[in-house]
Amino acid sequence: MRKKIGILGGTFNPIHIGHLLLAQYAFEQAELAKIIFIPSGVSYMKQDIPILPAKDRMRLVELSIQYHSCFEVSDMEILRPGNTYTYETLEELKRKQDNHYYFILGADSVFSMEKWKEPARIFKSCTILAAVRETTDKERLRIKTEDLKQKFGADIMLLDFPRIDISSSEIRERLKLGKSIHHMVAPEAEEYIYKNQLFKR
């Protein structure tokens, strides 16, 4: 029997409470069996940003999700040589196990997905779970999702998600300035960051 599996990808540089809440809301609203967090390898879209070594980003995800029995982490993109492309990840997952995959992202990303590598193959491989915030232009989003449905046969499900003003870039900046990141990341991740002096160099 095919399961409904959520996919949450990203550099996770570092993973924070916003990522965890997004996963939780997606898990509940789409009635998923589980969610796989997939830290990216070499992201062709973020080559100008200093990114932690893969082992640290993986460990931070592991620590952050360890008490969520329906959350797990995969190193499949980290192990893949060269640039990381979403369509390759989704097709690899489907080859391994033919489940129904739900790719979780912010609604703003829906407007740029046509510019991603092989968008048709992405839409063929999954349902898009787009998190809609209060600030999202819902009419513009409706028009765009209809356009993607017509062009690619895209299946896009909208996810109600509260506005959470936490970002990885803000966390990195606060650490550089010696400010607290308490309550912005999971306690175990916070301990690991301080213990290993991440983002201070």
Side-chain angles (χ1 to χ4, degrees), residues 175 179-181 189-197 200:
L175 286 164
K179 293 183 177 180
S180 173
I181 57 166
E190 181 182 8
E191 182 181 352
Y192 183 90
I193 286 169
Y194 286 127
K195 182 179 178 181
N196 293 279
Q197 296 189 315
K200 290 209 170 180

Side-chain angles (χ1 to χ4, degrees), residues 73-127:
V73 61
S74 167
D75 61 2
M76 62 186 295
E77 287 195 355
I78 285 170
L79 296 177
R80 187 185 302 143
N83 285 335
T84 294
Y85 297 112
T86 299
Y87 82 92
E88 292 178 324
T89 297
L90 289 165
E91 289 179 354
E92 184 178 340
L93 285 167
K94 287 189 78 70
R95 280 195 301 272
K96 288 179 177 177
Q97 202 160 19
D98 186 28
N99 289 313
H100 190 151
Y101 292 98
Y102 290 73
F103 191 74
I104 306 161
L105 43 65
D108 289 350
S109 295
V110 171
F111 297 102
S112 63
M113 286 192 76
E114 275 183 282
K115 297 176 184 175
W116 293 16
K117 189 82 167 177
E118 301 285 356
R121 291 168 72 172
I122 294 174
F123 292 124
K124 184 181 177 182
S125 301
C126 68
T127 292

Side-chain angles (χ1 to χ4, degrees), residues 171-185:
I171 290 169
R172 294 194 300 270
E173 187 62 26
R174 290 181 68 85
L175 286 164
K176 284 179 186 174
L177 296 172
K179 293 183 177 180
S180 173
I181 57 166
H182 201 50
H183 304 304
M184 299 176 80
V185 299

Side-chain angles (χ1 to χ4, degrees), residues 12-164:
F12 299 122
N13 190 44
I15 186 170
H16 55 70
I17 294 299
H19 295 125
L20 300 174
L21 286 173
L22 176 57
Q24 188 64 38
Y25 274 71
F27 179 78
E28 293 168 354
Q29 290 183 40
E31 299 181 330
L32 304 175
K34 69 176 178 181
I35 290 179
I36 306 173
F37 288 70
I38 306 182
S40 65
V42 181
S43 174
Y44 70 102
M45 290 189 284
K46 294 196 176 182
Q47 292 179 341
D48 58 338
I49 299 172
I51 295 176
L52 281 181
K55 67 176 182 64
D56 289 318
R57 293 184 290 116
M58 271 288 295
R59 187 58 184 147
L60 286 170
V61 174
E62 288 170 349
L63 290 167
S64 299
I65 67 172
Q66 63 183 317
Y67 301 118
H68 299 263
S69 61
C70 295
F71 292 176
E72 63 183 60
V73 61
S74 167
D75 61 2
M76 62 186 295
E77 287 195 355
I78 285 170
L79 296 177
R80 187 185 302 143
N83 285 335
T84 294
Y85 297 112
T86 299
Y87 82 92
E88 292 178 324
T89 297
L90 289 165
E91 289 179 354
E92 184 178 340
L93 285 167
K94 287 189 78 70
R95 280 195 301 272
K96 288 179 177 177
Q97 202 160 19
D98 186 28
N99 289 313
H100 190 151
Y101 292 98
Y102 290 73
F103 191 74
I104 306 161
L105 43 65
D108 289 350
S109 295
V110 171
F111 297 102
S112 63
M113 286 192 76
E114 275 183 282
K115 297 176 184 175
W116 293 16
K117 189 82 167 177
E118 301 285 356
R121 291 168 72 172
I122 294 174
F123 292 124
K124 184 181 177 182
S125 301
C126 68
T127 292
I128 300 297
L129 260 184
V132 180
R133 305 180 187 189
E134 299 160 12
T135 54
T136 304
D137 185 335
K138 295 181 178 61
E139 179 58 17
R140 182 168 165 254
L141 179 62
R142 185 192 66 76
I143 293 169
K144 187 61 183 179
T145 54
E146 189 60 35
D147 178 53
L148 293 172
K149 185 176 181 180
Q150 294 295 325
K151 284 183 182 176
F152 302 103
D155 181 15
I156 300 175
M157 176 179 170
L158 302 183
L159 182 71
D160 289 326
F161 188 62
R163 180 175 175 176
I164 298 170

